[in-house]
Amino acid sequence: MAYIISSDAIKETLPGYDPKFAEKFHDISTKLADKKFEKALKNSSMKRVILMSGGSASGKSEYVSEYLKKQKIIISDGTSSSYNRANIKIEKALKHRKKLEIHAVWPTDFATAFEAFFSRDRQFSPEHFYRTHSKSRKTLLRIVRKYPEISITIIVSKYDENRKGQKMEFEVLTDTNRDKLIEFLEKNQYTEEEIKRSQRLYEI
Amino acid sequence: MKFKTLRPPSKSNRQVREYVNAIEKGRNSYFVVQNGKGWYVRKASIRTSNGKFFPTKSEAVDNARARALRRNSEYLVFNNKGNLLSRKPL
């Protein structure tokens, strides 16, 4: 079974936690998650480590629960939107000679992810959505450029209300050429303002 | 770039089920959105139309409240910068 470290799961253990005010508990839960990750690197015999990447409600935890949960992996299930924090995790994982991978989950469109984001129990401001989607992609691009040895998997989460059976599915990018990957990441960068504008919540 | 579809998630996956439920709930919600001339109310899932126009915020909010109530959903009010002003019911 995977050892999954999630700041959202940690939030639920904090005294006084109320999902309606999840944002207030975010800083402390991410710090605790980072400490837990560091401890796992030191103490676990598992060699494979995966850092998840992707904005809020992009489908990361759903991907982990479906495809990674049963494998022997240490998984940091977060947005990786802070370059500094992601970089520290990478350096620590490499120092402990772990086999490090990054799996980035992107939604097919921001609007669908936004619908899931504002409707689920734990609530954050829309700014948190714009910020994590923009910065997680920016961070990923910087990491890909800095660490050519780290394996990167790009996954696209798709929701189709007209599909029979399971309405959600995942697609994985099969092209592993690094230069093409960098080009792909460069083309798929968005500023917070661009993501915000795509929701058509003002000046319509 | 080439993509490969992974096997579909299991129907018993609670996490995926909750995510899909959240999207569906979100699609039934209403947005009250400000622009230069007044306020628009539109269903969250409608992306190509501005929605119904109201000259004042209170009229727009009343409309969104009534529609949300009928669908057992919620409504979110945004200002002219796209910032969330309020959300009902919380």
Side-chain angles (χ1 to χ4, degrees), chain A residues 11-198:
Chain A
K11 277 183 192 75
E12 289 172 11
T13 67
L14 296 175
Y17 174 67
D18 180 344
K20 286 175 186 167
F21 303 99
E23 202 154 1
K24 287 185 182 171
F25 296 82
H26 194 60
D27 279 350
I28 182 74
S29 64
T30 49
K31 277 176 193 159
L32 289 171
D34 288 353
K35 279 185 188 167
K36 205 172 170 185
F37 178 71
E38 201 180 330
K39 210 170 169 184
L41 291 177
K42 277 183 195 165
N43 301 333
S44 172
S45 59
M46 290 188 227
K47 283 282 169 207
R48 200 173 161 208
V49 173
I50 294 179
L51 288 191
M52 294 304 296
S53 158
S56 292
S58 56
K60 298 179 298 297
S61 302
E62 290 70 25
Y63 166 78
V64 167
S65 70
E66 186 63 33
Y67 304 105
L68 304 177
K69 200 178 172 179
K70 291 178 183 167
Q71 300 178 46
K72 285 185 176 178
I73 322 169
I74 298 169
I75 301 172
S76 172
D77 185 9
T79 61
S80 297
S81 48
S82 157
Y83 174 75
N84 289 339
R85 287 193 28 241
N87 202 41
I88 289 168
K89 282 183 191 173
I90 290 169
E91 290 296 336
K92 284 183 178 164
L94 296 176
K95 190 183 141 194
H96 286 90
R97 298 177 184 278
K98 301 290 186 186
K99 189 178 172 293
L100 181 63
E101 300 166 35
I102 296 179
H103 289 214
V105 179
W106 293 359
T108 35
D109 66 287
F110 291 122
T112 302
F114 190 65
E115 285 161 358
F117 170 78
F118 74 77
S119 300
R120 57 191 188 181
D121 290 342
R122 57 176 185 278
Q123 293 183 5
F124 287 83
S125 64
E127 285 68 29
H128 181 82
F129 180 87
Y130 312 140
R131 187 171 55 246
T132 56
H133 278 270
S134 174
K135 290 195 171 167
S136 61
R137 291 181 185 212
K138 201 174 170 184
T139 295
L140 182 62
L141 179 58
R142 286 180 75 180
I143 289 168
V144 171
R145 285 180 175 142
K146 186 177 174 187
Y147 299 97
E149 72 276 24
I150 296 177
S151 158
I152 309 287
T153 304
I154 307 281
I155 301 106
V156 174
S157 66
K158 299 176 108 175
Y159 168 82
D160 181 355
E161 62 184 359
N162 298 316
R163 188 183 294 130
K164 282 183 183 174
Q166 186 56 267
K167 292 181 190 308
M168 193 177 190
E169 68 174 19
F170 295 89
E171 287 185 351
V172 62
L173 182 69
T174 52
D175 208 326
T176 52
N177 178 290
R178 205 70 172 187
D179 291 337
K180 279 188 183 174
L181 176 65
I182 290 173
E183 197 183 322
F184 177 76
L185 293 175
E186 283 170 343
K187 277 184 189 164
N188 283 284
Q189 296 294 315
Y190 297 93
T191 64
E192 290 174 48
E193 197 54 41
E194 283 170 331
I195 296 170
K196 189 176 181 179
R197 226 178 291 136
S198 73

Side-chain angles (χ1 to χ4, degrees), chain B residues 2-21:
Chain B
K2 287 178 186 168
F3 285 87
K4 180 188 147 195
T5 304
L6 298 176
R7 61 161 175 79
S10 144
K11 280 187 180 175
S12 62
N13 186 321
R14 186 182 55 88
Q15 204 128 12
V16 172
R17 208 167 51 235
E18 283 176 3
Y19 185 82
V20 168
N21 288 345

